[in-house]
Amino acid sequence: MKEINLYIDESGNLGKEGRYFLICALEVEPKFKKTLSKRAGRVINRFKQERKISKKQEIKGWQLNTEERKLLLEKILFKGIKIRYLVLDLEKTTMLLTKSDDKNACYNYLIQLLVKSVLKAYPLIKKINLHLDNRTVKIGHRLALKPYLYNKLVLEQLETSIKFKKIDFEITYYESQNCYLIEWADIIANSLFKKYNRNESLFYNIIKPYIIYESKFPSKKFGK
């Protein structure tokens, strides 16, 4: 594997509302990107058309009823889709999340953990393309994410790694309604979130065969 695409969205709140925060990444190989992008557009637009929803309106996972969610997951979970996700127990983290800067720093850290899982899975990878929702972080932290990933995942490794590794992180921000695969990521993230937020495993069990990485953070204190 030389290159990979990650379409990332989240569910939950990095603050005082709720106990858990989940970040989900759809992993798409370059050879599947064009096919899946077209399929995502067809699925989303057909869903909107059947329900007389404006094309400009974003489909949000939390707004779906059980029947709609099952229908969309059935269309989304298709050849070429792989899922990575990480869920944070806000009651057990030592990170301060009272200010927007704290929340953005926490978000960057969690993204780094997801990307690290990709590097471990594909030691020879040369490029990781991150496709993120534009609303997630402030402009200052958007600009800081790329050097942060280099510092944590490349430069810090020089102290312990014998081999020097070159890798490119390409980061793109979208209005989520303009990127159908990010809309898919939102639907999946919210469906997985129900397992932790409401103890509902129905949708998690549907998604499970496509999950290649899942992590609970912090692992030793999670959910206790």
Side-chain angles (χ1 to χ4, degrees):
M1 185 76 67
K2 299 293 184 181
E3 181 178 348
I4 203 71
N5 296 285
L6 299 178
Y7 294 86
I8 299 172
D9 211 331
E10 75 282 341
S11 194
N13 185 284
L14 277 177
K16 296 181 180 180
E17 298 179 14
R19 178 167 181 174
Y20 299 105
F21 179 79
L22 185 144
I23 290 184
C24 173
L26 294 190
E27 179 181 303
V28 178
E29 295 179 39
K31 65 180 180 181
F32 293 125
K33 181 181 177 181
K34 187 175 181 179
T35 299
L36 285 173
S37 294
K38 288 183 177 180
R39 179 180 176 86
R42 289 196 302 270
V43 168
I44 294 295
N45 287 323
R46 187 174 298 145
F47 181 87
K48 290 178 179 178
Q49 184 178 15
E50 290 172 351
R51 286 155 182 79
K52 295 181 173 54
I53 300 172
S54 170
K55 285 187 176 182
K56 295 181 179 180
Q57 183 177 333
E58 180 185 359
I59 295 175
K60 297 299 297 175
W62 65 268
Q63 296 174 321
L64 299 171
N65 61 38
T66 298
E67 181 182 342
E68 290 171 336
R69 191 181 300 275
K70 282 183 177 179
L71 174 67
L72 283 170
L73 287 177
E74 185 179 293
K75 301 294 184 182
I76 289 171
L77 300 172
F78 185 73
K79 180 181 178 182
I81 286 290
K82 298 176 182 177
I83 298 166
R84 296 176 182 270
Y85 82 91
L86 183 151
V87 59
L88 169 67
D89 185 340
L90 294 164
E91 290 186 5
K92 300 300 179 180
T93 180
T94 58
M95 289 179 274
L96 297 174
L97 299 172
T98 55
K99 301 178 181 178
S100 59
D101 283 353
D102 300 332
K103 296 174 184 178
N104 283 301
C106 177
Y107 182 84
N108 284 356
Y109 179 75
L110 297 176
I111 290 290
Q112 175 260 150
L113 292 179
L114 273 182
V115 173
K116 182 183 283 188
S117 75
V118 175
L119 295 176
K120 287 183 178 179
Y122 311 121
L124 300 179
I125 198 162
K126 298 293 183 183
K127 185 177 183 181
I128 299 177
N129 303 304
L130 289 90
H131 308 270
L132 299 167
D133 192 334
N134 201 30
R135 74 179 186 275
T136 303
V137 290
K138 297 190 304 181
I139 290 175
H141 285 276
R142 291 177 203 162
L143 299 176
L145 179 57
K146 187 170 183 175
Y148 176 75
L149 291 176
Y150 273 115
N151 287 338
K152 294 294 292 183
L153 301 175
V154 179
L155 297 179
E156 286 186 9
Q157 304 307 312
L158 291 177
E159 297 296 326
T160 57
S161 177
I162 297 175
K163 295 182 179 179
F164 177 74
K165 183 175 183 178
K166 292 185 178 181
I167 185 166
D168 183 22
F169 299 109
E170 186 69 32
I171 302 174
T172 308
Y173 292 90
Y174 302 86
E175 295 299 331
S176 52
Q177 67 268 27
N178 296 330
C179 181
Y180 296 118
L181 286 172
I182 288 181
E183 286 196 67
W184 275 16
D186 173 78
I187 293 166
I188 292 177
N190 184 260
S191 299
L192 291 170
F193 185 65
K194 288 181 175 294
K195 172 180 170 62
Y196 302 95
N197 189 46
R198 296 185 180 179
N199 199 28
E200 296 177 6
S201 295
L202 172 63
F203 302 111
Y204 170 84
N205 291 333
I206 294 172
I207 298 167
K208 187 175 180 180
Y210 296 85
I211 297 173
I212 59 172
Y213 172 83
E214 58 185 335
S215 178
K216 299 173 184 178
F217 185 86
S219 58
K220 292 183 179 180
K221 297 182 179 180
F222 186 90
K224 296 179 179 178

